[in-house]
Amino acid sequence: MTNKSAAEVIQVPNMLKLKVGGRGGIDMAAIAKAEAALKSLSGNFAEWLNDEIVKLEAARQEVRAEGLTAETVETLYLRAHDLKGLGATYDFPLITRLAASLCRLIDEPATRLSAPMFLVDAHIDAIKACVRDGIKVDTHPVGKVLAVELEGRVAQYLAG
C-alpha cells in the first residue's frame, strides 16, 4: 500500500575546515609571528594615528565649509569608523571608544544630516585631546569623564 523508499544522507564536506586547516587547532606559532610583526611596527603607531587624526579634521573642515551633506557626513563617518577600528591597535583604546560614540551619532543615513554639529565637534576635539595628552584608556580620570559624557549625550540625542 505505501511505497517507502530508503532515505539517502549526503555528507557535504566542510570547505572552511579544509581551507583553514583540517585539525581545527590554533597555530600558536603563526599568532606569535603576527604579534612580533605588529610589535615591530609599533614605532610607527603615533605617526599613523596622527595621520588618521589629520584625515578626521579634514573631514570636519569639509563639513564646516559645505555643511552636513550626504557626501561630507559620509566622509566624516568613514574617518570616525577607521579610528574606531584602529584606536586600540595603535595603543589608544579610548580613541576606539570615542570614535564608536561618534559613529553611533552619525550612523543612520536617514538621520545623520540632522546630527548636532556641537556634538560632532566635541567628539573630534576629545579624540584630538586624548592623542595630544597621551590619554589612552578610559580608566584615566579625564578619559573616563570624556567617554561617559559623550556617550551619554549621544544616547540622549538618539532617544529623541
Side-chain angles (χ1 to χ4, degrees):
M1 295 209 200
T2 59
N3 221 356
K4 290 188 178 182
S5 61
E8 183 179 346
V9 177
I10 300 172
Q11 290 291 333
V12 179
N14 185 340
M15 299 308 288
L16 180 61
K17 188 174 183 180
L18 292 173
K19 289 180 181 182
V20 295
R23 292 187 229 173
I26 297 173
D27 185 352
M28 295 308 287
I31 291 174
K33 187 176 177 180
E35 287 176 345
L38 190 60
K39 187 173 179 79
S40 73
L41 295 172
S42 65
N44 298 322
F45 286 176
E47 180 183 341
W48 294 341
L49 182 57
N50 281 324
D51 289 346
E52 293 300 321
I53 299 297
V54 166
K55 291 175 188 175
L56 181 66
E57 181 60 35
R60 172 170 50 178
Q61 293 308 320
E62 187 178 0
V63 168
R64 285 186 176 160
E66 299 177 28
L68 276 173
T69 67
E71 186 178 311
T72 61
V73 77
E74 179 69 15
T75 301
L76 185 67
Y77 177 80
L78 292 173
R79 295 294 157 222
H81 195 271
D82 286 350
L83 277 170
K84 180 176 113 174
L86 293 171
T89 301
Y90 292 161
D91 200 28
F92 274 85
L94 179 58
I95 300 282
T96 291
R97 185 172 171 183
L98 296 174
S101 179
L102 177 54
C103 283
R104 273 191 300 281
L105 177 64
I106 57 176
D107 189 40
E108 291 299 321
T111 58
R112 63 174 45 163
L113 297 180
S114 61
M117 199 58 201
F118 78 90
L119 200 46
V120 170
D121 286 337
H123 280 83
I124 295 170
D125 291 341
I127 289 168
K128 290 173 70 175
C130 288
V131 172
R132 181 194 65 222
D133 296 340
I135 302 170
K136 297 182 175 192
V137 293
D138 57 11
T139 55
H140 184 284
V142 173
K144 183 176 183 174
V145 169
L146 283 172
V148 169
E149 183 65 24
L150 289 171
E151 290 167 344
R153 294 290 179 110
V154 168
Q156 191 176 40
Y157 170 75
L158 294 176

